[in-house]
Every structure is written in C-alpha cells, then in structure tokens.
Amino acid sequence: MSDIQLGELPFPTQEGKVDLCLYAPDGKTIAVRLDNCKIAVYSSSNLETLWTLEGHGDYITSMAYSPDSDQIISSGSDCTLRLWDIRTRASIHFMDAHEDEINKVVFSPRGDRVASASHDKTVKLWDLQTGECLHIWIGHTSNVLGVIYSPKGHQVASNSADHTVRLWAIETDICLHVLRGHQHPVNDIAYSPHGDQIASASDDKTVRLWDVASGECRHVFGYRGDVLSVMYSPSGRNIATAGNDSTVRLWDTESGACLQTLAGHSKRVNSYAFSPKGDQMISSSDDGTVRVWYVRAGASRVVSTGHHGKAWKMECSPRGDLVATCSEDTTVRLWDVETGVCVQTLRGHSSLVNSVAFSLQGDQIASGSEDQTIRLWNPETGVCTHTLIGHIGAVFNTAYSPQGDKLASASQDFTVRLWDIRSGECLYRFIGHRSFVLRVGYSSNGNQIVSWGSDGTLRIWDTTMGVCTNTLLSPTNTMNSVAYSPQGDQVAYASNDFAIRLWDVKTGQSSHVFVHRSSNSKLVTYSPRGHQIASLHMDGTVKAWDLRTGTCSWTLTHREKINRIVYSSKGDLVVSASRDRSVQLWDATT
C-alpha cells in the first residue's frame, strides 16, 4: 500500500532550489532543474549524482528528455534553447530562439525536432540537426505558457494565458482547433497516450478533457483551487494534477473521481512525472525536496458515491464480493466490488445508522442505529428478518460471534447486550461501564467479548457466565478504538495521547506502543492474519503498522476525512469510507 510514506525517499540535492524534475524515457536517470541555472542528473535506482549540466546565463524555464534518453533540451529566461548530450555533458546546439522568455520546450516523438512556446505569443518548431526554425505559429493573443507534441507527432498543442488551447498541424501553419471553455489562463496541457484526448488545467479551478478530432469538451473536473499542471498516466486511465495545496492528485478519466491524494510536501508542488511503467511518480516542491512515490500499490477505484449523507461505516462480506456501507441518510447499501454497482438499499431505520456487520457466513447483515434498534437483514433479498429491541440509547456497534449464532451490541445506555440471532432474544445484559459503550468485539473462540467505553475503560466479558473478567484503564482515561487480534491473545486500543497500544489479554500488560505524533487515532483494526494493524487518525489519514518491526508500512488519504476502514476477508484489500461520500478499495499487499 502506498500513498506517501512508503515511497518517500530523500533526494540528495546539494545546491539550489529544486523546481522541476523528469524521468528519462528509459527510466534510468532523473533530471532535476536547480534555480542556480544548472541541471543535475541522478541515477533513478540509488539517487546518486551522475552529471551536472551548466551553461545557461539565466534561470532555466523548461527542459525535456529526448525519446532515446541520451539528450536534454533546455530553455531559459535568456530566450535561448540548449541541446545537451547528458553523457558527455556537452552543449550540442545553442539557439537564440525567441524575442521574450521561453516557457516550454518539448521533443518530437522521433527526437529530431523540438517545439518551443514563449511570452512573445508564438510557438516555434526547430530542426535539431541544423538548428533552423521550420515554423512559427501565430494566433494566441497572450503569453503562450506551454506546448506539447501529439504521441504520433503529427500535431502540436499549445496553451495560453488567453484562456484557450490551440491545435496546430505540424507541416503547415494551420490552426486545426481552438479549444474554448476555460475562464482563466490555461496553465498546462497533456495528450492522452493514444492521442485522442487532451487534458487542460486552468486557474478557473477546473480540468477539462477534450476530444482531439472534434475539439469538443468531454469532461470537466472540479478542483478546490487553481490547477497548475496536468499529466496522463502511461495507461491513459488516470491523470495527475497539482495545485497550490502542496499535493498531487490522481483522477479517473472516465468517472472524474479523485482516486488518490499524494500528500507529503510542505509547500506547492511545482513539477511531477510518472515513471515509464507508471508504477512510480516523482515530485518536486517549493519546500526544496524531491519525493518518489510508489503509486501502483496505492491505486484505487471508487466503489460507492450513492449515499445522500456521510458514509459512516462499512464492512466487507466474507467472500469479498460485497461491501456494505451505512450512512446518516438512515440506509444501509450493498455494493458489488467488481462493478461498483449498488445491488441493495436496506431501508427501515428511522434515524442515522451507526454500524454494519456481516455474519461469518455472509448470509446476514446486522445494523445498529440511533433509533435504539438493531436490524438483521437478508443481503440477497434486502428483507429485514428481525428487529432487536431492548437498548434505551443509540446502538453504536455490533459484532457477530465466530460461530455466527450470537450478536453483541454496544450502546449509549452504558450496556453491552448479547443476542440470539435465530430468536431475537437478549441472552445477557452486561453492566459495568460508567458511560457510553462505543465498540464491542469477539475473541477468536467466541468465549470472550471485549468492550470499550467513553469512561476510559476496556472490559473483557465471559460470554458463558455473563461476567466481567478483566478491566483495563487507559493512561489518558480515554479510548478511541479497540480491536481483538485474530488469534484472540491481544487487544489493540487507541487513546488520546497519539498512541496505539497492544494489551496482552492473559497478563493484562501492554506489550507494544505505536505513536503517530501529529494526530490521535479514532479507529484500529487487525489484518486477518494478525501481522498488521491499520489505524484511522483524526487528521483523516490511515496508517498501517507492522507488528513485527513496529514501523509504519503505508499511509493513505481521501479528498476529505476518512470515517471508516476495514480489511477484506483475505487481507489483500483495505476499504475506506470518507466524508466525501465515496468508498475506495486499496491494495494492502505491499
């Protein structure tokens, strides 16, 4: 699983501010532009410095690798272009190219030409063998901020401060299309890998996808601020964008959904790039760092966007084919994992639904609500088979016994109840907590229940005798979440001192402490094999902790704070539900 922490590597820049970075097409080197008029070239495998290219007399505004990875073209605010052989570090060509600052330069797909865009409102095409200017395209009415080649090399697209994108035919002076729709300067553009679409990013807080053949706008993605740059993934299924919020965001080009937010830089991200395989990204920032991200494992797809209120909790079915979500809209919804389609909407509660749980066989769902009831549902038919009445306060949580014949519930009325799911009868009413009981869980053999409350205590209950056998008081007198290990020998709990502690059930001693210093955890859960704990934090992030090494394995985020996380039955996926009304699936195997 990777969002930011797993892929974050130190980058050994020694001099100058880092503000542009590129992968070579062969993936072997990374070029970094420094603000001291130099280009540093690094090995992508170990990040060792290989070469430094020097020659520009002023700030380097743009650079690009040749398709064979042997050359770099760079442009400067001194209005010049320089072509470099990166192995000999020699400047092969020097071109006094424009009458004003050059904003962008790019190689043709064959590597024999480059196109440049300038403040002088023109786009120019250059022959690299002779250094001759082949075409000057005129049409923009303000600064030309960028230029790109189509994948097949028969078109050039340019973006401008005049709010437009223009498509140009390579062999003529003809403008094929003027793409109008943005209300502010267009900061960046990108062709899809197949060349049938162009994505454009603007100060009007939108990203637009355009059909190249017709010039029509196909999609508009909303953003919270100015969108400074855009890039397609090598597969073309996703685009990456960066704005002023110090993050890089990954989007699905079909649905327009934000799949992932790469958050780690402390200042604006000014450049980023996919590796040739699409499994990594690099980004540079005004914070002076370059970060390497492993995005393949962190890629996700949106499963749910159907609730009419916040999605509070969710649960995976034992077979892993369904996800159940509950919401403040009083419903429980069932989603097909493969298709993302809502297959059932369970209606019956009269107030918001706090919890949802699958039975061990997957043939029943239990939901607990603010209406003080628990409802048992048939997931195939959507029919409510039992309504369990007895609590005199909101039901916060439910848990099935390993045998599947009983259900435990935690309530606002300070009690834990044990129910027979066949008859709907209450078997035990456990009394001991001095405040709300927030969560319950079963041991692996079903002989014990663990409960925790807002009174700061964690209690172990014997399910055969109905008595409390052990009580743990949190060091901070608060517990935000608790979970049994799959083996039943440990309990993990999170408290308000930024710590997650492991408690040995037999001895009552704390065995491990994991600390996330920037935010308290509000939920912890074990992976099915018990080798990992996932924690959901108040700052909206999710972290996974390796119980063998005691280290954080990965971190993930949504566009808004995450409300709930759960592992799939096999442990290969993590499902997260967010205040942004989406549920996402993440690869948890790495």
Side-chain angles (χ1 to χ4, degrees), residues 359 395 417 512 546 561:
S359 65
V395 179
R417 287 180 178 253
H512 289 82
D546 190 304
K561 288 186 177 181

Side-chain angles (χ1 to χ4, degrees), residues 64-67 71-75 81-83 93 95 97-98 104-117 123-129 131-135 137 147-149 156 170:
Y65 271 100
S66 62
Q71 295 177 336
I72 289 177
I73 187 75
S74 60
S75 63
L81 295 175
R82 286 181 180 268
L83 181 65
H93 274 302
M95 290 163 274
H98 285 269
K104 187 72 178 289
V105 62
V106 62
F107 271 99
S108 67
R110 291 190 301 177
D112 58 339
R113 296 176 177 180
V114 294
S116 58
V123 178
K124 293 187 178 184
L125 184 66
W126 303 86
D127 186 303
L128 289 182
Q129 294 296 322
E132 177 187 359
C133 180
L134 301 177
H135 289 293
W137 289 299
V147 61
I148 54 173
Y149 263 94
V156 164
I170 286 292

Side-chain angles (χ1 to χ4, degrees), residues 151-169:
K152 294 181 180 179
H154 65 286
Q155 283 182 358
V156 164
S158 57
N159 55 288
S160 172
D162 65 9
H163 310 174
T164 69
V165 176
R166 288 178 177 259
L167 307 186
W168 309 89

Side-chain angles (χ1 to χ4, degrees), residues 407-426:
L407 185 78
S409 58
S411 173
Q412 188 181 22
D413 63 10
F414 301 6
T415 70
V416 175
R417 287 180 178 253
L418 188 61
W419 308 82
D420 185 301
I421 64 171
R422 294 183 180 88
S423 65
E425 177 187 358
C426 180

